[in-house]
Every structure is written in structure tokens, then in C-alpha cells.
Amino acid sequence: MIIYIDGKYLPEDQAKISVFDHGFLYGDGVFEGIRAYNGRVFRLKEHVDRMYDSAKTIDLKPPISKEEMIEVICEVLRRNKLDNAYIRPIISRGHGDLGLDPRKCPKPSVVVIAVTWGAMYGDLYEKGLKAITVSIRRNPAECMPPNVKSLNYLNNILAKIEANYKGGDEAIFFDTNGYLSEGSGDNLYVVKNGEILTPPTLNNLRGISRMVLLEIARSLGITVKEQNLGYFDLYTADELICTGTAAEVAPITWCDGRTIGSGKPGPITRQLMAAFKTVTEKEGYPINKK
């Protein structure tokens, strides 16, 4: 595996960062999860734009331009001979000292990793996931905006730990106001009476896959509403869906002991899964751009 670090393409065993990097010490940095399908990187510009917006929010100045980042991502894929992959670009605050002050980190660091990636949930795309609503709340926007995709994912990890202990495939967050937020690594949608209901993105990540799913739904004539949702909406849903770059579009058929709908992936979920697959097969930024 060849990994990019600060201008160099290195074998995995030589790809190292300093223990004084503030991304390692404090989770001080941002990242993205991106997919490549059939020799094309899906929604690459949107992912890079979001990463640079995350960086600006935490006052982190990337050392390379967006155009350079796009080329680095494609070059990592080329050097690893990957047409289908999961890609992880990272911008950290860089080498500093043991203090918190980001001014002690003179130059941010860039890392890009790409690996082969299959269906994240295996046969659960046919069976449906089990979800657990967790006691830990999503970080409130006034503390750490969930729309910053930062290297500090401990909030998400604590939710995943709780779901693991309780036998869930995925965790479901609520915010501190009692509204539905998101999964530990994906956005959520309630299907009710033929309509898709999804939380506004103040208390959850503005997912790229979310954007694609809503585009698809509207193109199919499915009504989409953004509104605050609670436990009642979750438990009484006809269908429950989650989306993410790694997970793609996945059905949730069980939540906190309640069977969702028929207990099987519903018709709208299946329609969206098929349409999402079609879009990813056709769209994307070519890895070997001529």
C-alpha cells in the first residue's frame, strides 16, 4: 500500500507521523471518507469542498489547494492500482508541542490513504440492520458543530461502544434537545406514508450520500421533508434508512426491540438502494483523467 504524506508517496511501513502531531495528540484536524467506483471518484469535488469548509471552521489552513488535493487523491489510487476503493484524506494541525496552542504548529500535515472496500454491512443490506438509540447525546452545535468532520470522533465512538454492548449494528444519536440526530457514522431517514422525513442538518453531518439520496428521492417523485423528529417517529416508521459513504444506503428493520415496518427492507428503501447503485456506477471524477 502506498500512502501520501506531505508531498511523498511512501510504502505503508514507512508512512509515519510525529508523536507531536496535534492530530494524534488532540484530534486537531479534519478528514473525509470518499469512495471510488469503476475508476471514478464519486462526488470528489463535494467531499473536498466539505473538508476545506471543516478546516476553515477550526481555523486550519490546508497547505495544498483543493485542486492539488484532488490530484493527490487520484495519484494515490493510481499508485495502488485501485479502481474501487475507500479513500481517507486527512489534514491535521501538524507537528507542535504538548501544549494546546495551535500557533505552535507551524505547518499542517496532509495524509491520503486508499484501501479496497466491499459492502460494509454484508448480508444486512438484504436483512436489515438492528439499531440502538444510545444514551450519549450528539455534540451540540454550540460546542462542536457536527458539520465539522474532525479527527476527534470520540463522541461517535462512545455511541458505537454502547450499541456494541447492547447488540446493535448501528447506534442512533439524539441531540440534547431530544431530537433525532444521526447514526454513529451515517445520516438517518424515516419513511412514513410514502414520504421521506429527515432531520435538518444543524445537529448532524451534511452528508454527501445524504445529498445524493435526497436528489434521487425527488427525481423519483418522492416527497422529502426536513423536520425535527423524535422517538415516536422512529418507532412508528414504515421504513428506516441510513446512508453514508462507507455504508452507502442501508435499511434498518429493528430499533430498540421494535420491528420497523414489516421487519424487512421496504419498497422505498429498495428503490433508493437500486437508484443509488446506478448513480455511483455512472458518475464520478475519472482517476485517470485524460
Side-chain angles (χ1 to χ4, degrees):
M1 184 189 301
I2 302 299
I3 297 169
Y4 174 90
I5 299 185
D6 295 331
K8 297 179 180 179
Y9 296 89
L10 301 167
E12 183 181 354
D13 60 353
Q14 296 177 29
K16 304 181 188 302
I17 63 166
S18 168
V19 294
F20 286 96
D21 189 294
H22 274 215
F24 170 72
L25 287 174
Y26 298 113
D28 186 4
V30 298
F31 78 97
E32 277 294 315
I34 310 174
R35 290 287 287 268
Y37 299 92
N38 304 317
R40 298 184 185 90
V41 187
F42 189 62
R43 298 293 171 110
L44 177 56
K45 181 181 182 300
E46 290 87 342
H47 277 288
V48 171
D49 283 347
R50 185 174 68 177
M51 181 164 66
Y52 279 61
D53 283 346
S54 290
K56 186 174 184 179
T57 304
I58 66 168
D59 198 27
L60 173 60
K61 297 175 176 60
I64 63 176
S65 68
K66 292 180 181 180
E67 293 73 22
E68 289 170 323
M69 178 65 77
I70 286 171
E71 176 54 28
V72 166
I73 288 169
C74 290
E75 182 61 19
V76 168
L77 291 166
R78 289 192 290 263
R79 292 193 182 216
N80 286 289
K81 297 180 173 59
L82 291 173
D83 289 329
N84 298 278
Y86 180 84
I87 308 142
R88 174 61 55 85
I90 300 163
I91 306 172
S92 81
R93 190 76 64 179
H95 185 281
D97 60 19
L98 291 179
L100 292 174
D101 195 339
R103 293 174 297 180
K104 300 292 183 66
C105 305
K107 186 179 179 182
S109 184
V110 175
V111 176
V112 178
I113 307 165
V115 297
T116 55
W117 193 270
M120 180 174 172
Y121 287 120
D123 64 355
L124 294 180
Y125 291 94
E126 287 300 318
K127 297 178 181 178
L129 281 67
K130 290 184 176 181
I132 301 292
T133 61
V134 293
S135 59
I136 190 165
R137 303 292 93 168
R138 189 69 177 102
N139 287 334
E142 62 269 28
C143 295
M144 179 60 185
N147 278 299
V148 174
K149 200 169 175 68
S150 81
L151 294 180
N152 190 329
Y153 243 48
L154 192 55
N155 186 224
N156 308 65
I157 289 169
L158 288 172
K160 187 65 175 175
I161 288 169
E162 186 173 339
N164 288 343
Y165 277 120
K166 294 179 177 178
D169 303 303
E170 178 54 304
I172 291 180
F173 276 117
F174 281 74
D175 66 17
T176 53
N177 295 310
Y179 297 130
L180 183 65
S181 174
E182 60 185 333
S184 67
D186 37 55
N187 292 108
L188 296 169
Y189 317 82
V190 166
V191 178
K192 189 70 174 178
N193 298 325
E195 297 180 338
I196 293 176
L197 313 176
T198 191
T201 54
L202 181 63
N203 71 356
N204 61 89
L205 183 69
R206 293 176 188 171
I208 305 301
S209 298
R210 177 186 186 274
M211 176 177 65
V212 175
L213 181 130
L214 298 186
E215 288 174 3
I216 291 170
R218 292 181 176 118
S219 74
L220 295 171
I222 302 170
T223 298
V224 175
K225 295 179 180 177
E226 290 191 2
Q227 63 185 61
N228 287 327
L229 300 166
Y231 284 93
F232 177 86
D233 304 291
L234 201 61
Y235 295 152
T236 62
D238 298 328
E239 302 175 43
L240 190 57
I241 306 168
C242 64
T243 66
T245 295
E248 300 174 295
V249 181
I252 297 172
T253 55
W254 184 97
C255 183
D256 292 349
R258 283 86 165 171
T259 298
I260 303 299
S262 67
K264 297 179 180 179
I268 290 180
T269 303
R270 289 190 177 278
Q271 190 178 16
L272 293 171
M273 289 170 68
F276 187 89
K277 186 174 187 296
T278 298
V279 170
T280 59
E281 287 174 347
K282 292 181 178 179
E283 291 186 15
Y285 188 96
I287 295 169
N288 296 295
K289 192 172 183 181
K290 295 180 182 179

